[in-house]
Amino acid sequence: GRNAVHPDFIRGMLTTKIIVLAQRDRWEDHMRLYEALVSGAMVMSDPMTHWPHGLADGENIVVYHSWADLELKVLHYLSPANEEERVEIGRRGREAALRHQRPWQQAELLFLNDMSHINSYGLFNKPRQGG
């Protein structure tokens, strides 16, 4: 495992406008998603089977469905006319990651939620009150 982070990696994460992820099958919801979100850059990801709590396409992450779709969306969000929208999606992504995706928050979702609620994916997940 990794026990240190290279300064160039941190610098790159903090100066990038858009981070593109391709998380396939068993790598969905991997730590790279959360690293990207916490950076504050706008994160683009391919579709996932089950989205982590608090993430929504177009709100705090952008989902692409093909290479052509990815190219169109990257060009759209890099356009100076859409910079404010890109920055705001990145800000909301960072906020969502910090509000919902820390290990202790995941444990709360698992152990303290009312398990009678089923979300739109068919998973037990009652939205956290006040968060």
Side-chain angles (χ1 to χ4, degrees):
R2 180 171 76 180
N3 59 11
V5 180
H6 196 280
D8 290 343
F9 178 77
I10 294 170
R11 206 171 0 268
M13 294 289 282
L14 295 176
T15 58
T16 299
K17 295 179 180 182
I18 297 175
I19 296 175
V20 178
L21 299 174
Q23 302 183 101
R24 297 292 189 211
D25 302 329
R26 64 188 178 113
W27 296 107
E28 284 186 355
D29 198 16
H30 192 264
M31 69 178 186
R32 296 290 180 239
L33 171 62
Y34 305 111
E35 287 177 343
L37 288 167
V38 170
S39 77
M42 187 186 83
V43 176
M44 298 182 70
S45 177
D46 56 339
M48 291 175 59
T49 305
H50 305 289
W51 283 100
H53 179 75
L55 294 184
D57 183 23
E59 180 66 25
N60 47 30
I61 194 167
V62 174
V63 179
Y64 64 90
H65 299 278
S66 67
W67 289 113
D69 187 37
L70 173 62
E71 182 179 16
L72 286 173
K73 288 178 177 177
V74 166
L75 293 173
H76 171 82
Y77 287 109
L78 286 180
S79 166
N82 300 312
E83 181 175 3
E84 189 174 312
E85 181 183 13
R86 175 184 44 77
V87 169
E88 185 61 22
I89 291 171
R91 185 195 64 74
R92 288 191 303 254
R94 182 176 195 280
E95 182 179 289
L98 293 174
R99 181 176 290 169
H100 301 293
Q101 302 304 326
R102 294 179 182 174
W104 61 269
Q105 293 161 326
Q106 294 298 305
E108 282 183 353
L109 284 173
L110 181 63
F111 295 114
L112 302 179
N113 266 336
D114 173 2
M115 297 304 279
S116 65
H117 180 78
I118 298 177
N119 70 13
S120 61
Y121 296 111
L123 300 174
F124 295 105
N125 185 7
K126 182 179 179 184
R128 186 176 301 140
Q129 298 298 316

